[in-house]
């Protein structure tokens, strides 16, 4: 019998990417799906999925939710915090699959990234675990890129600097970046030839400090700038986004001894896809060729990019990977600092491997299990 699956958060940026992937992979053919909303209950769903329920249901209706076999939520932590324990407390024993971070630190949850931890996921399903959560976007993308080194237990420690797109913060933030760009473009005056480029810059820099500059969500300009702070502050000076690096990586890999990971997470003015610059210390002095082979052979999505200008600027950028499952990794070189240290730079679509794709594959695994 087909499983009843509730889909919450399909309108958001992660949910809509998930929806498109599920349509493309014909995943809806093997489930009875019911779409929920927190804001448009009773309306007709604005897309067509053959033979499926057409009316949006109330995402806070415990009765309907508790009748489902599987709930997949891309709605966000606030929703999960409100509804997850309510459902569990009335004895609902279905599978909960989630994109948000709220459940990642729960003892009885598994962070899913099946190209990296499929056996662990299967073991946990067999043990009766019912809560499966997608990882933080940069963590999942980092593991997809460096999975071979982790699998062979070669990493002594890792430091990462991230360059995260506006869409990583959600629809409203992405839209605000575009409004900021529009605001700036309106101030451009290329027709006045007496203005030097520095006069134009001065005018823009002055105007983005004005009160009418759109910054309701980011609080500050992102267009023409960057924000070296993502999420709230936690202990020892880290942000929550930086804290997730070590915690989630080690939870996904189920490591016995913690692999130290730290970094600085930065929001930049790209629309989609996150980039990361790694400094990695290996446990041994491996040749660059060895390192590249280990990285390349881990999964079919990771692509080692040659360390030259042409390949790098054409293949190792957000523009090159937007909308793709590929995980290019390049700038692989030994560092002057230590013979066991090397650098690498990777890019990945955070809405695919960093969010929607692990959830889609988890749902498929449960359907076919
Ligand atoms: P989002 O775009 O803000 O969408 C979340 C919800 O906001 C939607 O389901 C929708 O709910 C509501 N919404 C309000 N105004 C909207 C608008 N103008 N357009 C679309 N939806 C609107 O959030 P998200 O980025 O998809 O993130 C969802 C969860 O995934 C979060 O917990 C996030 O941390 C996590 N995550 C995000 C990313 C990423 O790259 N964005 C990556 C990994 C994990 P209703 O239809 O019910 O109103």
């Amino acid at each position: 019998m087909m499983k009843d699956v509730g889909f919450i958060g399909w309108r958001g940026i992660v949910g809509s990417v998930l929806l498109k992937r599920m349509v493309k992979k014909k995943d809806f053919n093997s489930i009875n799906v019911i779409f929920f909303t927190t804001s448009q209950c009773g309306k007709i769903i604005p897309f067509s999925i053959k033979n499926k329920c057409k009316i949006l249901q109330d995402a806070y209706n415990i009765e309907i939710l508790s009748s489902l076999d599987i709930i997949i939520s891309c709605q966000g932590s606030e929703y999960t915090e409100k509804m997850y324990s309510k459902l569990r407390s009335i004895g609902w024993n279905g599978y909960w699959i989630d994109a948000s971070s709220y459940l990642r630190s729960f003892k009885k949850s598994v962070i899913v990234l099946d190209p990296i931890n499929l056996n662990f996921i299967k073991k946990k399903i067999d043990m009766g675990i019912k809560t499966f959560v997608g990882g933080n976007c940069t963590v999942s993308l980092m593991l997809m890129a460096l999975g071979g080194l982790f699998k062979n237990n070669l990493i002594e420690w890792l430091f990462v600097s991230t360059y995260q797109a506006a869409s990583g913060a959600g629809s409203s933030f992405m839209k605000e970046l575009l409004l900021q760009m529009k605001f700036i473009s309106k101030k451009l005056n290329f027709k006045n030839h007496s203005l030097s480029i520095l006069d134009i810059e001065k005018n823009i820099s002055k105007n983005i400090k004005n009160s009418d500059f759109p910054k309701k969500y980011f609080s500050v300009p992102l267009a023409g700038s960057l924000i070296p702070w993502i999420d709230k502050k936690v202990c020892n000076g880290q942000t929550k986004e930086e804290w997730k690096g070590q915690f989630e990586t080690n939870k996904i890999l189920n490591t016995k001894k913690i692999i130290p990971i730290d970094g600085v997470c930065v929001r930049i003015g790209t629309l989609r896809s996150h980039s990361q610059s790694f400094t990695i210390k290996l446990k041994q002095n491996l040749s660059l060729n060895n390192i590249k082979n280990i990285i390349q052979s881990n999964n079919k999505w990771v692509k080692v990019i040659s360390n030259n200008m042409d390949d790098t600027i054409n293949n190792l950028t957000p523009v090159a990977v937007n909308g793709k499952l590929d995980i290019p990794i390049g700038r692989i070189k030994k560092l002057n600092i230590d013979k066991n240290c090397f650098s690498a730079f990777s890019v990945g679509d955070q809405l695919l491997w960093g969010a929607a794709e692990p959830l889609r594959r988890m749902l498929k695994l449960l359907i076919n299990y």
Side-chain angles (χ1 to χ4, degrees):
M1 228 173 65
M2 278 209 256
K3 298 242 185 339
D4 291 331
V5 179
F7 194 148
I8 301 142
W10 51 271
R11 190 166 74 99
I13 206 157
V14 173
S16 52
V17 169
L18 176 61
L19 190 73
K20 279 204 187 99
R21 281 289 295 158
M22 288 179 70
V23 169
K24 187 169 179 202
K25 301 298 275 186
K26 300 190 172 36
D27 294 330
F28 288 112
N29 293 353
S30 49
I31 55 172
N32 285 322
V33 67
I34 298 162
F35 291 96
F36 290 82
T37 176
T38 63
S39 62
Q40 301 172 36
C41 179
K43 290 196 180 161
I44 308 251
I45 59 170
F47 47 84
S48 139
I49 292 180
K50 225 172 139 194
N51 301 328
K52 307 289 173 188
C53 176
K54 303 266 182 288
I55 306 289
L56 289 169
Q57 303 296 319
D58 177 7
Y60 297 108
N61 186 326
I62 285 280
E63 213 173 296
I64 310 181
L65 290 172
S66 63
S67 70
L68 300 168
D69 299 303
I70 300 173
I71 290 171
I72 185 159
S73 173
C74 303
Q75 187 66 25
S77 283
E78 217 176 293
Y79 175 80
T80 302
E81 186 174 359
K82 210 178 241 170
M83 299 308 289
Y84 176 83
S85 38
K86 256 190 203 169
L87 274 166
R88 291 293 189 221
S89 70
I90 58 156
W92 180 71
N93 200 25
Y95 289 104
W96 182 288
I97 304 174
D98 206 317
S100 80
S101 62
Y102 180 68
L103 296 167
R104 288 184 202 143
S105 54
F106 276 41
K107 258 200 151 146
K108 286 194 169 178
S109 75
V110 174
I111 305 181
V112 295
L113 186 63
D114 67 272
I116 301 297
N117 69 347
L118 179 63
N119 289 340
F120 184 62
I121 295 170
K122 285 183 173 168
K123 194 171 129 195
K124 291 293 177 176
I125 300 174
D126 292 340
M127 286 166 68
I129 293 294
K130 301 273 177 159
T131 305
F132 296 93
V133 193
N136 169 264
C137 40
T138 49
V139 170
S140 297
L141 295 172
M142 183 262 287
L143 282 167
M144 290 299 290
L146 300 172
L149 298 172
F150 282 107
K151 191 174 175 188
N152 289 287
N153 194 20
L154 287 166
I155 296 183
E156 185 165 319
W157 55 253
L158 184 152
F159 183 88
V160 55
S161 300
T162 70
Y163 308 79
Q164 299 181 223
S167 55
S171 317
S172 321
F173 290 81
M174 188 177 179
K175 195 169 164 197
E176 185 166 274
L177 172 63
L178 291 169
L179 290 172
Q180 292 188 354
M181 289 171 169
K182 189 175 165 198
F183 183 100
I184 289 172
S185 74
K186 275 195 188 155
K187 305 284 171 197
L188 293 177
N189 185 358
F190 287 122
K191 281 192 188 134
N192 182 350
H193 296 296
S194 67
L195 285 179
S196 77
I197 193 66
L198 286 179
D199 291 329
I200 295 172
E201 178 276 323
K202 199 170 161 192
N203 187 30
I204 291 171
S205 294
K206 189 177 112 216
N207 275 293
I208 61 178
K209 288 184 188 134
N210 284 354
S211 58
D212 58 342
F213 187 73
K215 54 178 192 313
K216 178 176 163 201
Y217 294 98
F218 283 117
S219 308
V220 289
L222 180 62
S225 188
L226 57 76
I227 309 172
W229 190 281
I230 299 178
D231 211 339
K232 58 187 176 207
K233 186 173 181 174
V234 293
C235 57
N236 70 23
Q238 284 179 315
T239 63
K240 186 87 189 276
E241 190 78 354
E242 289 151 8
W243 173 85
K244 288 171 183 172
Q246 175 170 302
F247 171 76
E248 291 192 20
T249 303
N250 283 280
K251 181 162 176 170
I252 291 170
L253 297 171
N254 190 30
T255 49
K256 304 280 170 284
K257 187 171 173 271
I258 296 292
I259 302 168
I261 296 172
D262 211 329
V264 174
C265 293
V266 182
R267 184 77 64 202
I268 59 161
T270 45
L271 292 175
R272 182 169 173 166
S273 295
H274 292 346
S275 310
Q276 308 188 63
S277 170
F278 305 109
T279 303
I280 301 163
K281 180 160 190 198
L282 296 178
K283 290 179 179 169
Q284 48 187 283
N285 181 9
L286 292 183
S287 72
L288 280 183
N289 267 347
N290 239 337
I291 292 170
K292 287 184 208 164
N293 288 338
I294 292 167
I295 287 175
Q296 185 60 78
S297 57
N298 183 250
N299 63 69
K300 67 176 184 189
W301 297 278
V302 64
K303 309 263 182 291
V304 171
I305 305 298
S306 298
N307 189 21
N308 64 59
M309 180 171 152
D310 246 25
D311 285 309
T312 301
I313 66 171
N314 285 303
N315 304 310
L316 196 58
T317 64
V319 167
V321 299
N322 287 346
K324 295 184 189 157
L325 288 161
D326 292 349
I327 308 284
I329 176 166
R331 303 308 327 275
I332 298 174
K333 60 188 169 68
K334 290 278 187 152
L335 299 181
N336 291 336
I337 300 161
D338 184 304
K339 63 183 181 340
N340 289 9
C341 282
F342 75 99
S343 71
F345 189 92
S346 180
V347 191
D349 188 326
Q350 97 284 357
L351 295 170
L352 286 166
W353 275 121
E357 193 62 5
L359 303 188
R360 188 189 74 76
R361 291 164 68 96
M362 187 63 220
L363 176 63
K364 215 162 172 196
L365 185 64
L366 290 175
I367 300 295
N368 299 324
Y369 210 64

